[in-house]
Amino acid sequence: MGVAKVICNETNYTSVKPASILCLGSGWFPKTPGGLERYVYELTLRLANNKDQVELCGVGLPENEANLPITMTNLAAPDTPILKRLWKVRNSFKNTRKSKPDAVNLHFALYSLPILDLIPEDVPITFNFHGPWASESLEEGISNVTALLKKSLVEKRTYQRCHRFIVLSRAFGNVLHQKYQIPWEKIHVIPGGVDIDSFKPDLSVQEARIKLGWSIERPTLFTSRRLVHRVGLDKLLTAIAQIKPKIPDIFLAIAGRGPLQTSLQQQVTELGLEDNVKFLGFLPDELLPVAYQAADLSIMPSQSFEGFGLAIVESLASGTPVICTPVGGMPEILENFSPHLITDSIEVNAIAEKLEQVFLGEIAKPSREECREYAVNNFDWDKITKEVRKVIMGEGIK
């Protein structure tokens, strides 16, 4: 395959010369929840805290965010028509250039394409590939023609201009190589990170449940997901109904919003799970670690396009073991820690079987301390940032 997974080694940041790094994302995480937005939020703040001069460009960024170590440049409003928005992205970027950066780090092809020719040829560009945008859109209902245009006119043209790529898993490295013909020597596999100071086991299970108003006694399962088709919540609900005769008190808490909320709530009613399932809606950032700690298990029943699985490492850092389906990069997180918690397939029966085995004590789950230690050793954002910076700056790269 030609690429090895990056291992996060300690780097003495005091010996690293500060650099000027231009990043381009989409939105700003606290305002726009999402995996890509959270990743860019964590990365840019940590690069800046380590003395780099960081400018973040995007769409819908706050204009007057106080006390941030980064410079934010809002290029356009997210609710403007797409062609006008892209024109505005280009012109706003062009009009706000004051100096040449040492390196550019791109995260979203749609907003990257209009500015590529405005970046000096001698500035290295690293693209963080968060997923096959066209394929993901196709699964959510766009036409084949629109998906083809997204891939050929936006994604491929953007990638042709980039020097290096970062992916969060070997699985998405394969996607980038096979679907977009990016050579493996340009691809660097660095996992996502977790803020180990925010996600930590600082409450007992009982304390966490009391804080959330959950039952102290019931076997409890938690998942934090956008309510869309690919995340598999419909199959999870059916699996809960299957195991309910053996585990009648099982309780599933679902955090998140999305277009499937009404149909999922209807499914709960049809399956007779009104007392077993609770939709939490959007869970504030400060309560997410509490929800992980309140659960006996968290679960990721994804069916497709899961390049990493941030919720897995958030849960582990909070001390809670995770069940996941064998999709995308998720198994890469658990394969060296708790491979027995990876389901045999993405199907309902496999999800139900794994849940039943764990809740009935037929297979062991790792302890709080083991989950926490594994997350800290392998996914601490501070360590991840150092490895990402090396790629962005081309350090040690031939």
Side-chain angles (χ1 to χ4, degrees):
M1 191 164 64
V3 65
K5 189 167 184 176
V6 173
I7 299 173
C8 295
N9 298 314
E10 291 290 347
T11 301
N12 182 3
Y13 240 108
T14 59
S15 65
V16 175
K17 181 182 177 182
S20 169
I21 301 174
L22 169 67
C23 295
L24 185 140
S26 52
W28 181 239
F29 169 69
K31 182 180 177 182
T32 313
L36 184 156
E37 289 82 2
R38 179 187 280 271
Y39 182 97
V40 174
Y41 171 84
E42 299 284 2
L43 174 64
T44 53
L45 290 181
R46 281 171 169 77
L47 287 171
N49 286 333
N50 284 303
K51 308 307 180 185
D52 289 319
Q53 294 180 347
V54 179
E55 178 187 2
L56 174 62
C57 297
V59 170
L61 300 184
E63 303 275 357
N64 298 302
E65 194 82 359
N67 301 317
L68 286 178
I70 67 174
T71 300
M72 285 204 289
T73 303
N74 184 42
L75 301 178
D79 54 355
T80 54
I82 183 65
L83 293 180
K84 183 178 179 181
R85 193 188 324 154
L86 295 180
W87 177 87
K88 182 67 173 174
V89 164
R90 176 177 174 81
N91 281 278
S92 296
F93 184 81
K94 184 177 182 180
N95 293 333
T96 53
R97 296 307 91 206
K98 297 178 181 179
S99 60
K100 185 172 75 172
D102 295 314
V104 170
N105 181 213
L106 306 176
H107 293 265
F108 187 41
L110 179 63
Y111 299 148
S112 300
L113 184 62
I115 71 167
L116 287 174
D117 67 315
L118 302 176
I119 300 173
E121 289 287 338
D122 60 340
V123 175
I125 301 174
T126 300
F127 192 96
N128 281 63
F129 180 76
H130 294 275
W133 180 50
S135 299
E136 291 173 354
S137 301
L138 184 63
E139 184 153 307
E140 294 305 320
I142 68 166
S143 69
N144 289 327
V145 173
T146 303
L148 181 62
L149 291 174
K150 282 187 173 185
K151 182 177 179 181
S152 59
L153 296 183
V154 179
E155 291 186 285
K156 283 192 171 182
R157 288 179 65 186
T158 298
Y159 302 160
Q160 287 170 0
R161 177 71 172 81
C162 299
H163 302 89
R164 295 182 283 273
F165 297 82
I166 293 173
V167 293
L168 302 180
S169 62
R170 297 189 302 270
F172 264 22
N174 282 324
V175 171
L176 187 58
H177 176 64
Q178 294 168 7
K179 286 184 175 289
Y180 299 94
Q181 291 76 53
I182 301 300
W184 267 112
E185 57 266 25
K186 290 187 175 183
I187 300 173
H188 303 264
V189 184
I190 306 176
V194 62
D195 184 343
I196 61 171
D197 294 324
S198 296
F199 293 89
K200 58 186 177 182
D202 58 353
L203 298 171
S204 69
V205 174
Q206 292 79 8
E207 288 170 335
R209 292 185 184 183
I210 290 170
K211 190 168 185 176
L212 295 169
W214 297 359
S215 168
I216 294 178
E217 304 297 332
R218 297 177 71 172
T220 298
L221 190 63
F222 174 67
T223 189
S224 178
R225 307 263 61 203
R226 185 161 181 262
L227 309 186
V228 295
H229 287 288
R230 70 173 184 84
V231 304
L233 292 176
D234 55 335
K235 290 191 175 181
L236 175 59
L237 293 176
T238 304
I240 294 293
Q242 281 192 15
I243 66 174
K244 184 178 176 180
K246 290 187 178 180
I247 314 171
D249 288 338
I250 190 166
F251 173 67
L252 167 65
I254 301 173
R257 297 180 296 206
L260 292 187
Q261 179 151 349
T262 299
S263 63
L264 290 171
Q265 288 174 325
Q266 183 178 350
Q267 184 184 1
V268 166
T269 301
E270 292 171 352
L271 293 172
L273 296 175
E274 294 97 326
D275 188 49
N276 300 92
V277 177
K278 182 175 183 179
F279 291 91
L280 305 176
F282 173 72
L283 200 61
D285 232 26
E286 64 272 14
L287 289 182
L288 189 54
V290 180
Y292 285 124
Q293 294 176 79
D296 298 298
L297 282 168
S298 61
I299 186 165
M300 293 279 279
S302 301
Q303 302 293 295
S304 62
F305 300 120
E306 200 67 64
F308 179 59
L310 176 62
I312 295 179
V313 294
E314 288 177 344
S315 182
L316 294 175
S318 303
T320 301
V322 186
I323 289 176
C324 78
T325 46
V327 171
M330 296 192 302
E332 296 175 34
I333 301 174
L334 296 182
E335 62 190 3
N336 293 322
F337 177 60
S338 53
H340 55 290
L341 295 184
I342 304 170
T343 64
D344 292 336
S345 76
I346 64 174
E347 299 304 325
V348 169
N349 288 343
I351 297 170
E353 180 183 31
K354 192 64 67 174
L355 285 170
E356 188 174 296
Q357 288 174 334
V358 177
F359 278 116
L360 295 180
E362 296 172 4
I363 58 176
K365 61 180 183 179
S367 68
R368 272 191 143 203
E369 294 74 21
E370 290 169 334
C371 291
R372 172 69 178 175
E373 182 181 11
Y374 180 69
V376 169
N377 289 342
N378 293 278
F379 305 105
D380 178 355
W381 246 122
D382 289 336
K383 298 176 184 177
I384 298 296
T385 298
K386 293 169 186 176
E387 297 304 320
V388 171
R389 187 189 187 279
K390 288 179 185 178
V391 176
I392 292 173
M393 300 307 301
E395 297 172 2
I397 297 173
K398 297 179 179 179

